Short mmCIF file of all heavy atoms in Angstrom, two decimals:
data_model
loop_
_atom_site.label_atom_id
_atom_site.label_comp_id
_atom_site.label_asym_id
_atom_site.label_seq_id
_atom_site.Cartn_x
_atom_site.Cartn_y
_atom_site.Cartn_z
N ILE K 1140 10.00 49.94 -20.85
CA ILE K 1140 9.44 48.58 -20.60
C ILE K 1140 9.34 47.85 -21.92
O ILE K 1140 9.74 46.71 -21.97
CB ILE K 1140 8.21 48.75 -19.90
CG1 ILE K 1140 8.37 49.35 -18.51
CG2 ILE K 1140 7.51 47.37 -19.74
CD1 ILE K 1140 7.06 49.70 -17.69
N LYS K 1141 8.91 48.57 -22.92
CA LYS K 1141 8.75 47.84 -24.25
C LYS K 1141 10.15 47.45 -24.76
O LYS K 1141 10.28 46.29 -25.28
CB LYS K 1141 8.15 48.82 -25.28
CG LYS K 1141 8.01 48.26 -26.65
CD LYS K 1141 7.28 49.16 -27.59
CE LYS K 1141 7.50 48.78 -29.12
NZ LYS K 1141 7.29 47.41 -29.29
N GLU K 1142 11.14 48.26 -24.61
CA GLU K 1142 12.48 47.92 -25.14
C GLU K 1142 12.97 46.63 -24.40
O GLU K 1142 13.54 45.82 -24.99
CB GLU K 1142 13.41 49.06 -24.84
CG GLU K 1142 13.30 50.20 -25.92
CD GLU K 1142 14.01 51.47 -25.50
OE1 GLU K 1142 14.74 51.46 -24.51
OE2 GLU K 1142 13.80 52.49 -26.17
N PHE K 1143 12.68 46.60 -23.10
CA PHE K 1143 13.12 45.48 -22.29
C PHE K 1143 12.39 44.23 -22.68
O PHE K 1143 13.00 43.15 -22.87
CB PHE K 1143 12.92 45.75 -20.84
CG PHE K 1143 13.24 44.67 -19.89
CD1 PHE K 1143 14.54 44.32 -19.69
CD2 PHE K 1143 12.23 43.86 -19.33
CE1 PHE K 1143 14.92 43.23 -18.90
CE2 PHE K 1143 12.60 42.87 -18.49
CZ PHE K 1143 13.92 42.48 -18.34
N LEU K 1144 11.07 44.31 -22.93
CA LEU K 1144 10.26 43.11 -23.19
C LEU K 1144 10.71 42.66 -24.65
O LEU K 1144 10.66 41.44 -24.88
CB LEU K 1144 8.82 43.43 -23.24
CG LEU K 1144 8.18 43.58 -21.81
CD1 LEU K 1144 6.76 44.03 -21.91
CD2 LEU K 1144 8.34 42.31 -21.02
N ASP K 1145 10.96 43.62 -25.53
CA ASP K 1145 11.37 43.22 -26.90
C ASP K 1145 12.64 42.43 -26.88
O ASP K 1145 12.84 41.57 -27.77
CB ASP K 1145 11.52 44.49 -27.79
CG ASP K 1145 10.17 45.06 -28.11
OD1 ASP K 1145 9.11 44.43 -27.85
OD2 ASP K 1145 10.12 46.19 -28.63
N LEU K 1146 13.52 42.63 -25.92
CA LEU K 1146 14.76 41.94 -25.80
C LEU K 1146 14.55 40.43 -25.53
O LEU K 1146 15.30 39.59 -25.98
CB LEU K 1146 15.66 42.46 -24.70
CG LEU K 1146 16.47 43.72 -25.04
CD1 LEU K 1146 17.31 44.19 -23.88
CD2 LEU K 1146 17.40 43.44 -26.26
N TYR K 1147 13.43 40.25 -24.90
CA TYR K 1147 13.11 38.78 -24.46
C TYR K 1147 13.07 37.93 -25.73
O TYR K 1147 13.52 36.76 -25.67
CB TYR K 1147 11.78 38.72 -23.77
CG TYR K 1147 11.50 37.45 -23.07
CD1 TYR K 1147 11.93 37.22 -21.79
CD2 TYR K 1147 10.75 36.51 -23.78
CE1 TYR K 1147 11.68 35.98 -21.25
CE2 TYR K 1147 10.50 35.24 -23.20
CZ TYR K 1147 10.95 35.00 -21.95
OH TYR K 1147 10.70 33.79 -21.37
N ASP K 1148 12.43 38.46 -26.78
CA ASP K 1148 12.21 37.64 -28.02
C ASP K 1148 13.54 37.55 -28.82
O ASP K 1148 13.78 36.58 -29.50
CB ASP K 1148 11.07 38.23 -28.85
CG ASP K 1148 9.79 38.39 -28.09
OD1 ASP K 1148 9.56 37.41 -27.27
OD2 ASP K 1148 9.12 39.36 -28.20
N VAL K 1149 14.34 38.57 -28.82
CA VAL K 1149 15.50 38.64 -29.69
C VAL K 1149 16.68 37.96 -29.04
O VAL K 1149 17.70 37.55 -29.64
CB VAL K 1149 15.94 40.10 -30.02
CG1 VAL K 1149 16.79 40.19 -31.24
CG2 VAL K 1149 14.78 41.03 -30.03
N ASP K 1150 16.60 37.76 -27.66
CA ASP K 1150 17.76 37.32 -26.93
C ASP K 1150 17.44 36.13 -26.08
O ASP K 1150 17.21 36.22 -24.90
CB ASP K 1150 18.17 38.53 -25.98
CG ASP K 1150 19.24 38.21 -25.04
OD1 ASP K 1150 20.08 37.45 -25.34
OD2 ASP K 1150 19.22 38.84 -23.93
N PRO K 1151 17.38 34.93 -26.70
CA PRO K 1151 16.88 33.69 -25.99
C PRO K 1151 17.72 33.39 -24.83
O PRO K 1151 17.17 32.71 -23.83
CB PRO K 1151 16.95 32.68 -27.10
CG PRO K 1151 17.86 33.19 -28.12
CD PRO K 1151 17.81 34.59 -28.11
N GLU K 1152 18.98 33.72 -24.78
CA GLU K 1152 19.88 33.34 -23.62
C GLU K 1152 19.76 34.39 -22.52
O GLU K 1152 20.16 34.17 -21.36
CB GLU K 1152 21.38 33.34 -24.11
CG GLU K 1152 21.71 32.09 -24.88
CD GLU K 1152 21.60 30.82 -24.10
OE1 GLU K 1152 22.12 30.78 -23.00
OE2 GLU K 1152 21.10 29.78 -24.57
N HIS K 1153 19.07 35.56 -22.79
CA HIS K 1153 18.73 36.59 -21.81
C HIS K 1153 19.99 37.29 -21.28
O HIS K 1153 19.94 38.00 -20.20
CB HIS K 1153 17.83 36.06 -20.76
CG HIS K 1153 16.66 35.39 -21.24
ND1 HIS K 1153 15.81 36.05 -22.15
CD2 HIS K 1153 16.03 34.29 -21.02
CE1 HIS K 1153 14.77 35.24 -22.44
NE2 HIS K 1153 14.95 34.13 -21.81
N HIS K 1154 21.17 37.01 -21.87
CA HIS K 1154 22.37 37.69 -21.40
C HIS K 1154 22.26 39.22 -21.52
O HIS K 1154 22.39 39.98 -20.58
CB HIS K 1154 23.65 37.28 -22.05
CG HIS K 1154 24.19 35.90 -21.56
ND1 HIS K 1154 23.67 34.76 -21.90
CD2 HIS K 1154 25.09 35.70 -20.56
CE1 HIS K 1154 24.37 33.82 -21.23
NE2 HIS K 1154 25.22 34.39 -20.44
N VAL K 1155 21.97 39.72 -22.73
CA VAL K 1155 21.86 41.11 -23.01
C VAL K 1155 20.76 41.66 -22.21
O VAL K 1155 20.90 42.69 -21.73
CB VAL K 1155 21.54 41.32 -24.57
CG1 VAL K 1155 21.47 42.73 -24.82
CG2 VAL K 1155 22.60 40.66 -25.44
N GLN K 1156 19.62 40.93 -22.16
CA GLN K 1156 18.55 41.43 -21.39
C GLN K 1156 18.87 41.67 -19.87
O GLN K 1156 18.55 42.76 -19.41
CB GLN K 1156 17.31 40.43 -21.43
CG GLN K 1156 15.96 41.04 -21.11
CD GLN K 1156 14.93 40.00 -21.05
OE1 GLN K 1156 15.11 38.75 -20.80
NE2 GLN K 1156 13.66 40.45 -21.26
N VAL K 1157 19.49 40.73 -19.26
CA VAL K 1157 19.81 40.93 -17.84
C VAL K 1157 20.82 42.07 -17.71
O VAL K 1157 20.73 42.84 -16.75
CB VAL K 1157 20.32 39.60 -17.22
CG1 VAL K 1157 20.90 39.87 -15.87
CG2 VAL K 1157 19.27 38.52 -17.28
N ARG K 1158 21.81 42.09 -18.58
CA ARG K 1158 22.77 43.19 -18.46
C ARG K 1158 22.12 44.53 -18.62
O ARG K 1158 22.41 45.47 -17.92
CB ARG K 1158 23.87 43.01 -19.49
CG ARG K 1158 25.31 42.93 -18.89
CD ARG K 1158 26.35 42.74 -19.96
NE ARG K 1158 26.31 41.49 -20.65
CZ ARG K 1158 26.94 40.38 -20.20
NH1 ARG K 1158 27.67 40.51 -19.11
NH2 ARG K 1158 26.78 39.25 -20.85
N THR K 1159 21.21 44.60 -19.63
CA THR K 1159 20.52 45.85 -19.84
C THR K 1159 19.69 46.25 -18.65
O THR K 1159 19.64 47.39 -18.17
CB THR K 1159 19.54 45.73 -21.08
OG1 THR K 1159 20.24 45.32 -22.12
CG2 THR K 1159 18.83 47.07 -21.35
N LEU K 1160 19.00 45.22 -18.09
CA LEU K 1160 18.22 45.45 -16.85
C LEU K 1160 19.11 46.02 -15.76
O LEU K 1160 18.74 47.02 -15.09
CB LEU K 1160 17.60 44.08 -16.44
CG LEU K 1160 16.81 44.11 -15.13
CD1 LEU K 1160 15.51 44.91 -15.27
CD2 LEU K 1160 16.50 42.70 -14.69
N LEU K 1161 20.25 45.48 -15.52
CA LEU K 1161 21.19 45.95 -14.50
C LEU K 1161 21.50 47.32 -14.72
O LEU K 1161 21.48 48.14 -13.69
CB LEU K 1161 22.39 45.05 -14.48
CG LEU K 1161 23.34 45.16 -13.28
CD1 LEU K 1161 22.58 45.00 -12.05
CD2 LEU K 1161 24.47 44.14 -13.40
N THR K 1162 21.84 47.68 -15.96
CA THR K 1162 22.23 49.08 -16.20
C THR K 1162 20.99 50.07 -15.86
O THR K 1162 21.15 51.03 -15.21
CB THR K 1162 22.52 49.28 -17.63
OG1 THR K 1162 23.50 48.34 -17.98
CG2 THR K 1162 23.04 50.73 -17.97
N LYS K 1163 19.88 49.64 -16.40
CA LYS K 1163 18.64 50.54 -16.24
C LYS K 1163 18.31 50.64 -14.70
O LYS K 1163 17.93 51.72 -14.26
CB LYS K 1163 17.42 49.93 -16.97
CG LYS K 1163 17.49 50.01 -18.45
CD LYS K 1163 17.23 51.40 -18.97
CE LYS K 1163 17.23 51.47 -20.47
NZ LYS K 1163 16.97 52.85 -20.89
N VAL K 1164 18.34 49.55 -14.00
CA VAL K 1164 18.00 49.53 -12.63
C VAL K 1164 19.02 50.42 -11.83
O VAL K 1164 18.64 51.24 -10.94
CB VAL K 1164 18.03 48.13 -11.94
CG1 VAL K 1164 18.11 48.18 -10.53
CG2 VAL K 1164 16.77 47.37 -12.49
N THR K 1165 20.27 50.39 -12.18
CA THR K 1165 21.27 51.20 -11.53
C THR K 1165 21.01 52.68 -11.78
O THR K 1165 21.09 53.46 -10.87
CB THR K 1165 22.66 50.80 -11.94
OG1 THR K 1165 22.86 49.34 -11.75
CG2 THR K 1165 23.77 51.56 -11.12
N GLU K 1166 20.79 52.96 -13.06
CA GLU K 1166 20.41 54.37 -13.45
C GLU K 1166 19.23 54.84 -12.67
O GLU K 1166 19.24 55.98 -12.03
CB GLU K 1166 20.07 54.39 -14.91
CG GLU K 1166 21.22 54.62 -15.86
CD GLU K 1166 20.75 54.65 -17.31
OE1 GLU K 1166 19.56 55.01 -17.60
OE2 GLU K 1166 21.51 54.23 -18.18
N ARG K 1167 18.18 54.05 -12.56
CA ARG K 1167 16.99 54.35 -11.88
C ARG K 1167 17.21 54.69 -10.45
O ARG K 1167 16.60 55.58 -9.85
CB ARG K 1167 15.95 53.34 -12.14
CG ARG K 1167 14.58 53.62 -11.39
CD ARG K 1167 13.64 54.36 -12.31
NE ARG K 1167 12.52 54.85 -11.47
CZ ARG K 1167 12.23 56.06 -11.28
NH1 ARG K 1167 12.95 57.06 -11.67
NH2 ARG K 1167 11.16 56.42 -10.56
N MET K 1168 18.09 53.83 -9.83
CA MET K 1168 18.38 54.06 -8.40
C MET K 1168 19.13 55.36 -8.24
O MET K 1168 18.85 56.05 -7.21
CB MET K 1168 19.20 52.85 -7.92
CG MET K 1168 18.45 51.57 -7.76
SD MET K 1168 19.41 50.17 -7.18
CE MET K 1168 19.57 50.59 -5.43
N LYS K 1169 20.02 55.70 -9.06
CA LYS K 1169 20.71 56.96 -8.95
C LYS K 1169 19.72 58.06 -9.03
O LYS K 1169 19.79 59.06 -8.27
CB LYS K 1169 21.67 57.20 -10.14
CG LYS K 1169 23.14 56.72 -9.81
CD LYS K 1169 24.08 57.25 -11.01
CE LYS K 1169 25.40 56.45 -10.93
NZ LYS K 1169 26.17 56.57 -12.21
N ASP K 1170 18.81 57.98 -10.02
CA ASP K 1170 17.76 58.98 -10.21
C ASP K 1170 16.95 59.16 -8.94
O ASP K 1170 16.64 60.30 -8.48
CB ASP K 1170 16.94 58.56 -11.34
CG ASP K 1170 16.04 59.61 -11.89
OD1 ASP K 1170 16.46 60.84 -11.91
OD2 ASP K 1170 14.85 59.40 -12.23
N LEU K 1171 16.53 58.11 -8.39
CA LEU K 1171 15.72 58.11 -7.22
C LEU K 1171 16.41 58.75 -5.98
O LEU K 1171 15.91 59.44 -5.19
CB LEU K 1171 15.18 56.72 -6.79
CG LEU K 1171 14.05 56.17 -7.64
CD1 LEU K 1171 13.76 54.82 -7.28
CD2 LEU K 1171 12.87 57.11 -7.52
N LYS K 1172 17.73 58.39 -5.92
CA LYS K 1172 18.45 58.98 -4.79
C LYS K 1172 18.63 60.55 -4.92
O LYS K 1172 18.53 61.27 -3.98
CB LYS K 1172 19.95 58.38 -4.80
CG LYS K 1172 19.87 57.01 -4.14
CD LYS K 1172 21.17 56.22 -4.30
CE LYS K 1172 21.05 54.79 -3.79
NZ LYS K 1172 22.26 54.01 -4.13
N ARG K 1173 18.74 60.93 -6.27
CA ARG K 1173 18.73 62.41 -6.48
C ARG K 1173 17.41 63.02 -6.10
O ARG K 1173 17.33 64.06 -5.46
CB ARG K 1173 19.01 62.66 -7.99
CG ARG K 1173 20.38 63.20 -8.26
CD ARG K 1173 20.60 63.42 -9.72
NE ARG K 1173 21.39 62.44 -10.34
CZ ARG K 1173 20.95 61.64 -11.40
NH1 ARG K 1173 19.79 61.89 -11.96
NH2 ARG K 1173 21.73 60.74 -11.86
N GLN K 1174 16.25 62.36 -6.43
CA GLN K 1174 14.96 62.79 -6.12
C GLN K 1174 14.79 62.91 -4.57
O GLN K 1174 14.21 63.90 -4.08
CB GLN K 1174 13.91 61.85 -6.71
CG GLN K 1174 13.58 62.12 -8.07
CD GLN K 1174 12.38 61.28 -8.54
OE1 GLN K 1174 11.40 61.08 -7.89
NE2 GLN K 1174 12.54 60.68 -9.73
N ARG K 1175 15.30 61.90 -3.94
CA ARG K 1175 15.11 61.84 -2.47
C ARG K 1175 15.88 63.06 -1.88
O ARG K 1175 15.40 63.69 -1.02
CB ARG K 1175 15.73 60.56 -1.85
CG ARG K 1175 15.58 60.35 -0.45
CD ARG K 1175 16.01 59.04 0.07
NE ARG K 1175 17.39 58.70 -0.42
CZ ARG K 1175 18.04 57.55 -0.07
NH1 ARG K 1175 17.33 56.56 0.50
NH2 ARG K 1175 19.19 57.28 -0.51
N GLN K 1176 17.05 63.37 -2.39
CA GLN K 1176 17.84 64.48 -1.88
C GLN K 1176 17.07 65.77 -2.16
O GLN K 1176 17.01 66.61 -1.25
CB GLN K 1176 19.19 64.47 -2.65
CG GLN K 1176 20.09 65.70 -2.38
CD GLN K 1176 20.31 65.74 -0.89
OE1 GLN K 1176 20.40 64.75 -0.24
NE2 GLN K 1176 20.52 67.01 -0.39
N ALA K 1177 16.49 65.83 -3.32
CA ALA K 1177 15.69 67.11 -3.66
C ALA K 1177 14.53 67.20 -2.73
O ALA K 1177 14.25 68.40 -2.27
CB ALA K 1177 15.23 67.05 -5.08
N ILE K 1178 13.91 66.11 -2.40
CA ILE K 1178 12.76 66.14 -1.49
C ILE K 1178 13.18 66.59 -0.04
O ILE K 1178 12.48 67.43 0.48
CB ILE K 1178 12.12 64.79 -1.40
CG1 ILE K 1178 11.24 64.54 -2.63
CG2 ILE K 1178 11.19 64.67 -0.19
CD1 ILE K 1178 10.59 63.18 -2.80
N GLU K 1179 14.35 66.15 0.40
CA GLU K 1179 14.87 66.59 1.65
C GLU K 1179 15.08 68.02 1.75
O GLU K 1179 14.58 68.77 2.64
CB GLU K 1179 16.23 65.95 1.90
CG GLU K 1179 16.27 64.42 1.92
CD GLU K 1179 15.63 63.80 3.12
OE1 GLU K 1179 15.03 64.53 4.01
OE2 GLU K 1179 15.53 62.54 3.14
N GLN K 1180 15.61 68.56 0.63
CA GLN K 1180 15.96 69.97 0.61
C GLN K 1180 14.60 70.81 0.53
O GLN K 1180 14.41 71.82 1.28
CB GLN K 1180 16.67 70.34 -0.68
CG GLN K 1180 17.90 71.17 -0.42
CD GLN K 1180 18.62 71.41 -1.75
OE1 GLN K 1180 18.98 70.42 -2.47
NE2 GLN K 1180 18.81 72.68 -2.10
N THR K 1181 13.63 70.41 -0.26
CA THR K 1181 12.36 71.04 -0.32
C THR K 1181 11.63 71.00 1.03
O THR K 1181 11.03 72.01 1.44
CB THR K 1181 11.45 70.41 -1.45
OG1 THR K 1181 12.16 70.39 -2.61
CG2 THR K 1181 10.15 71.16 -1.62
N LEU K 1182 11.72 69.85 1.68
CA LEU K 1182 11.10 69.75 2.94
C LEU K 1182 11.63 70.68 4.00
O LEU K 1182 10.93 71.34 4.76
CB LEU K 1182 11.26 68.29 3.52
CG LEU K 1182 10.15 67.26 3.10
CD1 LEU K 1182 10.49 65.93 3.51
CD2 LEU K 1182 8.73 67.74 3.64
N THR K 1183 12.96 70.88 3.92
CA THR K 1183 13.61 71.82 4.85
C THR K 1183 13.07 73.27 4.57
O THR K 1183 12.66 73.98 5.53
CB THR K 1183 15.13 71.84 4.57
OG1 THR K 1183 15.58 70.46 4.76
CG2 THR K 1183 15.83 72.71 5.57
#
Side-chain angles (χ1 to χ4, degrees):
Chain K
I1140 296 172
K1141 178 173 162 48
E1142 284 167 10
F1143 178 72
L1144 288 177
D1145 287 349
L1146 276 183
Y1147 190 87
D1148 302 321
V1149 205
D1150 174 33
E1152 287 292 315
H1153 305 312
H1154 276 86
V1155 180
Q1156 197 186 26
V1157 172
R1158 237 182 291 270
T1159 306
L1160 176 69
L1161 191 52
T1162 307
K1163 289 284 184 182
V1164 163
T1165 306
E1166 272 177 28
R1167 180 86 191 114
M1168 288 180 75
K1169 264 190 199 165
D1170 194 36
L1171 282 178
K1172 284 170 185 170
R1173 251 181 262 125
Q1174 277 185 44
R1175 185 173 54 181
Q1176 177 55 29
I1178 285 178
E1179 302 290 358
Q1180 230 179 305
T1181 304
L1182 274 174
T1183 305

